[in-house]
Amino acid sequence: MAIQVHLDEILKKRNMTSKELCKLVSITEANLSVLRSGKAKGVRFNTVNKICYYLQCDVGDILKFDGELGEEEHEESN
């Protein structure tokens, strides 16, 4: 996976549950779960903005690039 999600680590540092974050950000627990697992195909900037606001963090704290193409992008380039 090219983009790694480190949301769980930030939630722990902030002593916040995913359920609490869902209420603040106004997203479903299912959608946050997909994001936390790294299986999301995309995420709205508005959602990322709210997550960063309520967790008092930077985008780079929750999303990291691992230097590799994702499987789908790798297959498309061949």
Side-chain angles (χ1 to χ4, degrees):
M1 160 97 23
I3 303 295
Q4 298 174 345
V5 181
H6 296 274
L7 194 50
D8 286 335
E9 292 91 338
I10 302 299
L11 283 167
K12 284 181 185 176
K13 286 180 184 177
R14 303 297 188 266
N15 294 316
M16 185 182 292
T17 66
S18 58
K19 193 170 194 166
E20 291 171 321
L21 183 62
C22 286
K23 286 182 182 181
L24 292 168
V25 177
S26 298
I27 61 173
T28 65
E29 290 181 49
N31 282 341
L32 186 62
S33 178
V34 170
L35 179 59
R36 288 172 55 209
S37 71
K39 294 181 181 178
K41 298 290 182 186
V43 60
R44 294 178 184 266
F45 285 145
N46 187 42
T47 301
V48 174
N49 184 58
K50 287 180 182 178
I51 289 170
C52 290
Y53 176 81
Y54 288 111
L55 292 178
Q56 291 296 293
C57 67
D58 189 52
V59 176
D61 296 329
I62 56 174
L63 301 175
K64 308 274 186 194
F65 175 61
D66 69 5
E68 300 291 329
L69 285 178
E71 289 182 22
E72 291 176 5
E73 292 86 0
H74 186 68
E75 290 173 4
E76 290 173 5
S77 66
N78 288 332

mmCIF file of all heavy atoms in Angstrom, residues 35-54:
data_model
loop_
_atom_site.group_PDB
_atom_site.id
_atom_site.type_symbol
_atom_site.label_atom_id
_atom_site.label_comp_id
_atom_site.label_asym_id
_atom_site.label_seq_id
_atom_site.Cartn_x
_atom_site.Cartn_y
_atom_site.Cartn_z
ATOM 1 N N LEU A 35 -11.355 3.803 6.583
ATOM 2 C CA LEU A 35 -10.197 4.693 6.533
ATOM 3 C C LEU A 35 -9.092 4.187 7.442
ATOM 4 O O LEU A 35 -7.927 4.103 7.038
ATOM 5 C CB LEU A 35 -10.607 6.113 6.928
ATOM 6 C CG LEU A 35 -9.498 7.160 6.953
ATOM 7 C CD1 LEU A 35 -8.823 7.291 5.600
ATOM 8 C CD2 LEU A 35 -10.046 8.503 7.408
ATOM 9 N N ARG A 36 -9.425 3.826 8.664
ATOM 10 C CA ARG A 36 -8.428 3.349 9.627
ATOM 11 C C ARG A 36 -7.731 2.088 9.144
ATOM 12 O O ARG A 36 -6.546 1.889 9.414
ATOM 13 C CB ARG A 36 -9.090 3.071 10.978
ATOM 14 C CG ARG A 36 -9.480 4.339 11.709
ATOM 15 C CD ARG A 36 -10.312 4.068 12.949
ATOM 16 N NE ARG A 36 -9.667 3.145 13.853
ATOM 17 C CZ ARG A 36 -10.313 2.334 14.677
ATOM 18 N NH1 ARG A 36 -11.632 2.302 14.688
ATOM 19 N NH2 ARG A 36 -9.649 1.545 15.483
ATOM 20 N N SER A 37 -8.437 1.245 8.431
ATOM 21 C CA SER A 37 -7.850 -0.013 7.952
ATOM 22 C C SER A 37 -6.948 0.181 6.743
ATOM 23 O O SER A 37 -6.235 -0.729 6.345
ATOM 24 C CB SER A 37 -8.955 -1.008 7.593
ATOM 25 O OG SER A 37 -9.627 -0.593 6.411
ATOM 26 N N GLY A 38 -6.983 1.373 6.139
ATOM 27 C CA GLY A 38 -6.175 1.630 4.953
ATOM 28 C C GLY A 38 -6.821 1.137 3.674
ATOM 29 O O GLY A 38 -6.203 1.142 2.617
ATOM 30 N N LYS A 39 -8.077 0.716 3.737
ATOM 31 C CA LYS A 39 -8.757 0.174 2.566
ATOM 32 C C LYS A 39 -9.580 1.208 1.804
ATOM 33 O O LYS A 39 -10.189 0.891 0.799
ATOM 34 C CB LYS A 39 -9.658 -0.993 2.989
ATOM 35 C CG LYS A 39 -8.863 -2.167 3.514
ATOM 36 C CD LYS A 39 -9.749 -3.312 3.909
ATOM 37 C CE LYS A 39 -8.888 -4.456 4.440
ATOM 38 N NZ LYS A 39 -9.691 -5.580 4.878
ATOM 39 N N ALA A 40 -9.580 2.449 2.286
ATOM 40 C CA ALA A 40 -10.338 3.500 1.605
ATOM 41 C C ALA A 40 -9.703 3.809 0.258
ATOM 42 O O ALA A 40 -8.487 3.882 0.137
ATOM 43 C CB ALA A 40 -10.375 4.758 2.467
ATOM 44 N N LYS A 41 -10.528 3.979 -0.753
ATOM 45 C CA LYS A 41 -10.048 4.338 -2.093
ATOM 46 C C LYS A 41 -9.841 5.841 -2.207
ATOM 47 O O LYS A 41 -9.134 6.322 -3.072
ATOM 48 C CB LYS A 41 -11.041 3.879 -3.164
ATOM 49 C CG LYS A 41 -11.232 2.389 -3.206
ATOM 50 C CD LYS A 41 -10.005 1.710 -3.732
ATOM 51 C CE LYS A 41 -10.256 0.207 -3.813
ATOM 52 N NZ LYS A 41 -9.066 -0.510 -4.169
ATOM 53 N N GLY A 42 -10.474 6.576 -1.314
ATOM 54 C CA GLY A 42 -10.346 8.025 -1.320
ATOM 55 C C GLY A 42 -10.968 8.596 -0.063
ATOM 56 O O GLY A 42 -11.683 7.907 0.658
ATOM 57 N N VAL A 43 -10.660 9.855 0.186
ATOM 58 C CA VAL A 43 -11.224 10.541 1.337
ATOM 59 C C VAL A 43 -11.360 12.017 0.976
ATOM 60 O O VAL A 43 -10.486 12.576 0.302
ATOM 61 C CB VAL A 43 -10.352 10.334 2.606
ATOM 62 C CG1 VAL A 43 -8.949 10.864 2.427
ATOM 63 C CG2 VAL A 43 -11.005 10.930 3.829
ATOM 64 N N ARG A 44 -12.447 12.626 1.373
ATOM 65 C CA ARG A 44 -12.681 14.038 1.058
ATOM 66 C C ARG A 44 -11.757 14.919 1.888
ATOM 67 O O ARG A 44 -11.505 14.638 3.060
ATOM 68 C CB ARG A 44 -14.132 14.414 1.349
ATOM 69 C CG ARG A 44 -15.124 13.724 0.449
ATOM 70 C CD ARG A 44 -16.542 14.129 0.855
ATOM 71 N NE ARG A 44 -17.521 13.418 0.090
ATOM 72 C CZ ARG A 44 -18.080 13.891 -1.023
ATOM 73 N NH1 ARG A 44 -17.752 15.081 -1.473
ATOM 74 N NH2 ARG A 44 -18.964 13.179 -1.673
ATOM 75 N N PHE A 45 -11.273 16.001 1.266
ATOM 76 C CA PHE A 45 -10.438 16.953 1.989
ATOM 77 C C PHE A 45 -11.176 17.517 3.188
ATOM 78 O O PHE A 45 -10.581 17.746 4.243
ATOM 79 C CB PHE A 45 -9.984 18.098 1.080
ATOM 80 C CG PHE A 45 -8.902 17.716 0.113
ATOM 81 C CD1 PHE A 45 -8.886 18.272 -1.149
ATOM 82 C CD2 PHE A 45 -7.892 16.837 0.455
ATOM 83 C CE1 PHE A 45 -7.892 17.940 -2.058
ATOM 84 C CE2 PHE A 45 -6.890 16.495 -0.443
ATOM 85 C CZ PHE A 45 -6.892 17.055 -1.696
ATOM 86 N N ASN A 46 -12.468 17.737 3.053
ATOM 87 C CA ASN A 46 -13.268 18.261 4.150
ATOM 88 C C ASN A 46 -13.218 17.314 5.346
ATOM 89 O O ASN A 46 -13.119 17.763 6.496
ATOM 90 C CB ASN A 46 -14.714 18.483 3.689
ATOM 91 C CG ASN A 46 -15.553 19.180 4.725
ATOM 92 O OD1 ASN A 46 -15.105 20.123 5.357
ATOM 93 N ND2 ASN A 46 -16.777 18.715 4.905
ATOM 94 N N THR A 47 -13.268 16.017 5.088
ATOM 95 C CA THR A 47 -13.206 15.022 6.161
ATOM 96 C C THR A 47 -11.831 15.027 6.811
ATOM 97 O O THR A 47 -11.704 15.015 8.037
ATOM 98 C CB THR A 47 -13.541 13.617 5.612
ATOM 99 O OG1 THR A 47 -14.857 13.646 5.048
ATOM 100 C CG2 THR A 47 -13.477 12.568 6.707
ATOM 101 N N VAL A 48 -10.777 15.068 5.994
ATOM 102 C CA VAL A 48 -9.411 15.113 6.524
ATOM 103 C C VAL A 48 -9.226 16.384 7.356
ATOM 104 O O VAL A 48 -8.622 16.356 8.436
ATOM 105 C CB VAL A 48 -8.361 15.041 5.388
ATOM 106 C CG1 VAL A 48 -6.957 15.241 5.935
ATOM 107 C CG2 VAL A 48 -8.465 13.721 4.653
ATOM 108 N N ASN A 49 -9.755 17.491 6.868
ATOM 109 C CA ASN A 49 -9.654 18.757 7.589
ATOM 110 C C ASN A 49 -10.284 18.648 8.973
ATOM 111 O O ASN A 49 -9.696 19.070 9.979
ATOM 112 C CB ASN A 49 -10.324 19.865 6.777
ATOM 113 C CG ASN A 49 -10.186 21.222 7.418
ATOM 114 O OD1 ASN A 49 -9.083 21.684 7.655
ATOM 115 N ND2 ASN A 49 -11.307 21.869 7.685
ATOM 116 N N LYS A 50 -11.477 18.071 9.043
ATOM 117 C CA LYS A 50 -12.161 17.927 10.330
ATOM 118 C C LYS A 50 -11.396 16.983 11.256
ATOM 119 O O LYS A 50 -11.274 17.243 12.456
ATOM 120 C CB LYS A 50 -13.583 17.407 10.134
ATOM 121 C CG LYS A 50 -14.535 18.420 9.551
ATOM 122 C CD LYS A 50 -15.908 17.789 9.392
ATOM 123 C CE LYS A 50 -16.904 18.733 8.764
ATOM 124 N NZ LYS A 50 -18.207 18.057 8.597
ATOM 125 N N ILE A 51 -10.896 15.873 10.720
ATOM 126 C CA ILE A 51 -10.129 14.918 11.527
ATOM 127 C C ILE A 51 -8.913 15.617 12.119
ATOM 128 O O ILE A 51 -8.638 15.517 13.322
ATOM 129 C CB ILE A 51 -9.718 13.690 10.693
ATOM 130 C CG1 ILE A 51 -10.946 12.819 10.392
ATOM 131 C CG2 ILE A 51 -8.649 12.872 11.424
ATOM 132 C CD1 ILE A 51 -10.694 11.707 9.386
ATOM 133 N N CYS A 52 -8.180 16.346 11.294
ATOM 134 C CA CYS A 52 -6.993 17.049 11.773
ATOM 135 C C CYS A 52 -7.352 18.123 12.794
ATOM 136 O O CYS A 52 -6.645 18.305 13.790
ATOM 137 C CB CYS A 52 -6.217 17.661 10.606
ATOM 138 S SG CYS A 52 -5.418 16.426 9.561
ATOM 139 N N TYR A 53 -8.457 18.813 12.571
ATOM 140 C CA TYR A 53 -8.890 19.856 13.505
ATOM 141 C C TYR A 53 -9.181 19.257 14.887
ATOM 142 O O TYR A 53 -8.677 19.743 15.898
ATOM 143 C CB TYR A 53 -10.130 20.572 12.957
ATOM 144 C CG TYR A 53 -10.692 21.594 13.911
ATOM 145 C CD1 TYR A 53 -10.122 22.860 14.001
ATOM 146 C CD2 TYR A 53 -11.767 21.280 14.728
ATOM 147 C CE1 TYR A 53 -10.631 23.808 14.895
ATOM 148 C CE2 TYR A 53 -12.287 22.218 15.619
ATOM 149 C CZ TYR A 53 -11.712 23.474 15.698
ATOM 150 O OH TYR A 53 -12.206 24.397 16.581
ATOM 151 N N TYR A 54 -10.000 18.225 14.915
ATOM 152 C CA TYR A 54 -10.400 17.660 16.195
ATOM 153 C C TYR A 54 -9.302 16.867 16.877
ATOM 154 O O TYR A 54 -9.287 16.748 18.109
ATOM 155 C CB TYR A 54 -11.672 16.815 16.043
ATOM 156 C CG TYR A 54 -12.884 17.674 15.799
ATOM 157 C CD1 TYR A 54 -13.539 17.663 14.571
ATOM 158 C CD2 TYR A 54 -13.359 18.533 16.782
ATOM 159 C CE1 TYR A 54 -14.646 18.467 14.343
ATOM 160 C CE2 TYR A 54 -14.461 19.345 16.559
ATOM 161 C CZ TYR A 54 -15.096 19.309 15.339
ATOM 162 O OH TYR A 54 -16.186 20.114 15.125
#
